[in-house]
Amino acid sequence: MLPSAVHNVSLVYALVWAIDNYYGMATSTPLAVVQFPTSRESRRLHNDMIDAALFRSSATGRIQFLLEDDRVEMTEQNNTELPPPSGLTGRPIAIWFLDSLRSYFRLEMYLNQLGSPYKRNGFFLVVYTGLEEQPVESLKIMFRRLLNIYVINVIVFLQRDDTVHLYTYYPYGPHHCQSSLPVYYTAFQDLPAPATGFGLTKPLFPSKLGNLHGCQLVVATFEHRPYVHIEDDPKTPGGRIILGIEGLIFRSLAERMNFTVKLLERQDKNRGEILPDGNVTGILKMMVDGEVNLTFVCFMYNKARSDLMLPSISHASFPIVLVIPSGGSISPMGRLTRPFRYIIWSCIAVSLLLGFLLISHLRITAAPELRHLVLGRHNHRPCLGMWSSLLGGLAIYNPQRNFARFILVMWLLQALILRAAYTGQLYLLLQDVEMRSPIKTLGEAQAKGYEFRILPALRTVFKDSMPSTNFQVVFSQEESLLRLRDEDDAGIAVALLQPTIYQFDYRSGPNARHLTVLPDPLMTAPLTFYMRPHSYFKRRIDRLLMAMMSSGIVARYRRMYLDRIKPVAKRRRLEPKPLSMWRLGGVFVCSAGLYLLALLVFILELLSRQHSRLRRILDVINRYAA
């Protein structure tokens, strides 16, 4: 039974039902109970109802209660770190006790003050104990002002006689948009005492955003492929249609929520930033000033943005890669040495040197039996045979002993693998017109002193992780990407999302030079939609995005665009290019060097007929070196 001092019996039981059947079951967040009385009588009445309701509902232990004072200045004095003005954090549920329109104004100040602990898109219950003859007129004013501050999930308990009436408002309907007229929702039954079956036949909070009935939302964006693609379409209201990865996601949201779109294209493509004096620019300023309801154009989640705009959940994540200068084209001689790294070339040189030293030792100082054991009998030209087999020739003098045969087989196996690997890689290098020598690691890019050009959203992350690097914040990367594509060493590096790189290479074409990126991504960036501060669309959009991601719709939209531009971006040409004199220049230079050596040997052979000492030197070389 209730205490005898409580006269609003039905209202108390209605509160107990709401706490036990909604707040105590829907969330584990503490329920704030705040009263805003304007007289001592109202305060005593509110205290009695709160005590009675909490006495009956707290016994179940389903929820924790927070009883707060109504003084507006308390939050600013006690909280050192205030919640962001976007309403990203805060309490989503509360019960407010009001006794007049003046009492509501105090509540509104409480909600609008800097550091208010509430999410205005939460679910709130108002217990109205005013004594006006026409309380609905006061509700009209309250609802109109609540709509202006984005509080729509609100239910007013209004007791008349022994019945508790529930009022709310529907901002979107079949014949109205942004309406705040009070609507009678339902009522609790007359209850002189608690009875079985007491409660509501409807949900305590009705759905108000399931269908916007064709009402218009203002959206700010600009073309940024493959995320947003805007085309002319005379069949669409406004004559412009939004495509792209994020464009299709947004169109699915518009179709599911049944709203029309007023598109504001930002011509300067400025997403916006916070200036040192606290002012904001671009789309961020449009959002803060209330000019648009929602924006999307490859917005990476950023704390500074989220403090001023309300972000949705992340609908996609893409790696951020670093675009670096491609480096100079490989020279003709560089193409000949490129197939093997210096380690392999060193191993080949060491093998040849050891072979020559061993052969020289066996031919000059070793006993004939040892020479025959290692080189084999009648093997008069071991060095020439080693060179010939390395370059693909035949081993003319086959050894007769097993040990010599074993050494020959090992050498032939090594030469076979080296020739196959070298030939295959050299074929690719000679065909690739744009083969270059870029850097491979982030440390090399920093060591070269490149200027890192980044978007404003990445400024904090990069400066905290690489404080000594030279950064420049830019709003558009197009000019930088053109320099990196066309110049061998532009002296800059650009951090961008990987799909943006694919799109740029796709536009450049398969036969043009493409951008060069580091093999390893720098980080992964989540993309999100942004809404007005405290926007009541967040819950609905978040649920729809979760459903679209769970069903694979978002992944399908990604594949529709990325699968088309990614292969073309990776393919450097449609067909092989013919070999040119420049790419074969290394071969010609080597051949010319060998011809000069042959000419020198020919001249020495002619001179040896007239000089006996030179003849003896050449005989020694011919006998032992070959």
Side-chain angles (χ1 to χ4, degrees):
M1 297 294 294
L2 293 175
S4 59
V6 178
H7 302 286
N8 304 73
V9 177
S10 299
L11 191 56
V12 171
Y13 279 117
L15 284 173
V16 173
W17 185 93
I19 294 173
D20 289 345
N21 292 274
Y22 179 79
Y23 288 119
M25 299 177 65
T27 179
S28 60
T29 304
L31 174 63
V33 180
V34 190
Q35 55 175 319
F36 297 87
T38 56
S39 64
R40 293 182 179 180
E41 292 75 12
S42 296
R43 180 178 294 274
R44 285 196 295 268
L45 176 63
H46 292 172
N47 288 336
D48 291 341
M49 286 192 294
I50 293 174
D51 291 341
L54 297 188
F55 175 78
R56 294 187 59 83
S57 59
S58 62
T60 60
R62 293 180 177 178
I63 193 169
Q64 179 182 0
F65 298 98
L66 294 176
L67 301 179
E68 295 184 345
D69 202 340
D70 62 341
R71 287 179 294 178
V72 176
E73 68 275 9
M74 281 190 61
T75 304
E76 296 185 5
Q77 294 176 356
N78 297 337
N79 288 347
T80 56
E81 184 177 355
L82 300 178
S86 65
L88 180 61
T89 60
R91 301 172 192 158
I93 56 177
I95 297 178
W96 296 320
F97 286 81
L98 306 179
D99 63 357
S100 63
L101 191 59
R102 178 186 170 192
S103 178
Y104 164 76
F105 292 148
R106 297 174 62 183
L107 168 63
E108 185 174 315
M109 293 176 59
Y110 187 70
L111 293 176
N112 286 330
Q113 69 174 334
L114 183 62
S116 175
Y118 287 102
K119 291 183 179 180
R120 297 184 207 166
N121 54 17
F123 295 86
F124 305 108
L125 184 62
V126 175
V127 179
Y128 192 73
T129 59
L131 300 178
E132 302 95 336
E133 294 183 0
Q134 297 293 333
V136 176
E137 296 300 323
S138 299
L139 295 185
K140 288 182 180 180
I141 301 175
M142 290 169 50
F143 286 163
R144 183 174 68 250
R145 298 177 71 93
L146 287 173
L147 178 62
N148 292 334
I149 61 175
Y150 297 96
V151 180
I152 67 169
N153 294 311
V154 59
I155 291 290
V156 176
F157 281 10
L158 186 63
Q159 182 175 355
R160 285 297 175 261
D161 298 329
D162 291 329
T163 303
V164 178
H165 300 274
L166 278 68
Y167 286 86
T168 187
Y169 72 97
Y170 294 86
Y172 301 99
H175 306 292
H176 62 265
C177 296
Q178 295 291 310
S179 172
S180 61
L181 293 178
V183 175
Y184 174 78
Y185 180 54
T186 185
F188 288 93
Q189 299 298 322
D190 296 340
L191 279 182
T196 304
F198 170 70
L200 300 177
T201 58
K202 296 182 179 180
L204 180 61
F205 290 94
S207 175
K208 299 181 179 181
L209 301 176
N211 187 351
L212 300 190
H213 301 278
C215 293
Q216 188 180 78
L217 297 186
V218 184
V219 177
T221 186
F222 53 82
E223 183 162 289
H224 183 51
R225 301 187 184 187
Y227 315 99
V228 178
H229 179 197
I230 303 176
E231 291 183 350
D232 294 327
D233 186 7
K235 299 180 180 179
T236 303
R240 304 281 277 172
I241 186 172
I242 306 175
L243 301 173
I245 300 175
E246 292 185 298
L248 291 180
I249 295 175
F250 175 74
R251 289 178 59 188
S252 298
L253 294 176
E255 180 179 355
R256 185 66 181 86
M257 297 175 65
N258 190 20
F259 63 82
T260 57
V261 179
K262 179 181 178 181
L263 183 63
L264 299 181
E265 295 185 53
R266 187 79 188 190
Q267 300 300 326
D268 58 1
K269 297 185 177 183
N270 183 5
R271 294 181 178 86
E273 66 170 340
I274 304 174
L275 301 177
D277 58 1
N279 293 323
V280 293
T281 62
I283 294 180
L284 179 58
K285 185 177 188 302
M286 299 172 65
M287 188 68 69
V288 172
D289 293 343
E291 300 178 21
V292 295
N293 299 108
L294 189 143
T295 181
F296 59 91
V297 54
C298 187
F299 271 101
M300 291 175 283
Y301 182 86
N302 176 269
K303 184 180 183 302
R305 289 173 177 166
S306 299
D307 286 343
L308 297 178
M309 298 186 293
L310 190 60
S312 69
I313 62 171
S314 174
H315 59 80
S317 296
F318 293 108
I320 296 178
V321 296
L322 187 66
V323 186
I324 55 176
S326 58
S329 299
I330 296 181
S331 63
M333 291 300 297
R335 292 176 186 267
L336 295 182
T337 59
R338 179 83 173 187
F340 291 155
R341 284 186 153 187
Y342 67 93
I343 297 179
I344 300 180
W345 284 119
S346 301
C347 293
I348 296 175
V350 170
S351 299
L352 290 175
L353 180 60
L354 291 177
F356 289 148
L357 292 178
L358 178 61
I359 292 173
S360 300
H361 173 71
L362 295 175
R363 293 294 300 271
I364 298 175
T365 63
E369 290 77 8
L370 180 60
R371 183 169 60 251
H372 295 162
L373 176 65
V374 178
L375 300 180
R377 294 180 182 276
H378 309 296
N379 189 1
H380 303 297
R381 297 176 179 84
C383 291
L384 183 60
M386 185 171 65
W387 271 112
S388 177
S389 58
L390 178 64
L391 300 178
L394 299 177
I396 301 176
Y397 301 100
N398 296 323
Q400 303 298 320
R401 303 291 294 272
N402 291 331
F403 181 69
R405 290 174 179 173
F406 179 75
I407 295 178
L408 177 61
V409 169
M410 287 196 305
W411 173 253
L412 291 178
L413 178 61
Q414 176 182 344
L416 174 64
I417 296 175
L418 290 175
R419 286 199 312 272
Y422 182 84
T423 304
Q425 190 66 19
L426 182 63
Y427 173 77
L428 298 176
L429 293 177
L430 291 178
Q431 277 196 322
D432 196 338
V433 181
E434 297 297 330
M435 188 64 192
R436 296 173 178 272
S437 300
I439 59 180
K440 298 296 183 182
T441 63
L442 179 61
E444 294 180 24
Q446 292 178 293
K448 288 182 175 294
Y450 288 151
E451 179 184 82
F452 283 62
R453 296 189 175 181
I454 58 176
L455 296 173
L458 298 174
R459 171 169 45 195
T460 303
V461 177
F462 274 82
K463 287 192 174 182
D464 290 342
S465 58
M466 297 182 293
S468 60
T469 307
N470 180 21
F471 290 104
Q472 180 180 356
V473 178
V474 295
F475 293 103
S476 176
Q477 304 281 26
E478 187 70 19
E479 182 268 338
S480 302
L481 295 180
L482 291 174
R483 287 184 56 188
L484 287 169
R485 184 193 66 182
D486 299 332
E487 299 180 17
D488 291 340
D489 191 3
I492 59 176
V494 175
L496 279 180
L497 292 176
Q498 198 169 49
T500 307
I501 308 301
Y502 292 154
Q503 182 66 39
F504 185 86
D505 290 339
Y506 178 80
R507 286 187 307 158
S508 299
N511 297 321
R513 290 177 59 175
H514 290 173
L515 298 174
T516 303
V517 301
L518 289 182
D520 299 324
L522 302 179
M523 65 185 71
T524 299
L527 301 188
T528 183
F529 292 170
Y530 277 103
M531 293 158 277
R532 284 292 321 276
H534 302 283
S535 175
Y536 43 75
F537 293 113
K538 176 176 170 57
R539 292 178 181 271
R540 178 64 173 159
I541 289 178
D542 285 353
R543 286 197 298 267
L544 290 177
L545 288 177
M546 286 293 293
M548 293 170 64
M549 288 188 288
S550 301
S551 61
I553 296 177
V554 174
R556 179 176 178 271
Y557 290 157
R558 291 177 58 172
R559 290 195 301 270
M560 286 175 57
Y561 288 90
L562 297 185
D563 288 354
R564 183 173 72 249
I565 64 177
K566 185 177 179 179
V568 178
K570 287 189 172 182
R571 188 168 61 243
R572 303 191 66 86
R573 58 196 172 279
L574 295 177
E575 58 184 19
K577 296 293 183 180
L579 296 177
S580 62
M581 288 289 295
W582 170 255
R583 277 177 282 161
L584 293 177
V587 179
F588 294 144
V589 169
C590 292
S591 299
L594 294 176
Y595 281 125
L596 291 177
L597 180 60
L599 179 61
L600 177 61
V601 172
F602 176 73
I603 294 175
L604 291 177
E605 291 287 351
L606 293 179
L607 293 178
S608 64
R609 296 182 178 182
Q610 302 176 2
H611 301 83
S612 57
R613 180 175 297 178
L614 179 60
R615 181 66 179 178
R616 289 193 298 271
I617 295 174
L618 293 178
D619 289 340
V620 171
I621 295 175
N622 290 332
R623 180 177 179 182
Y624 293 102

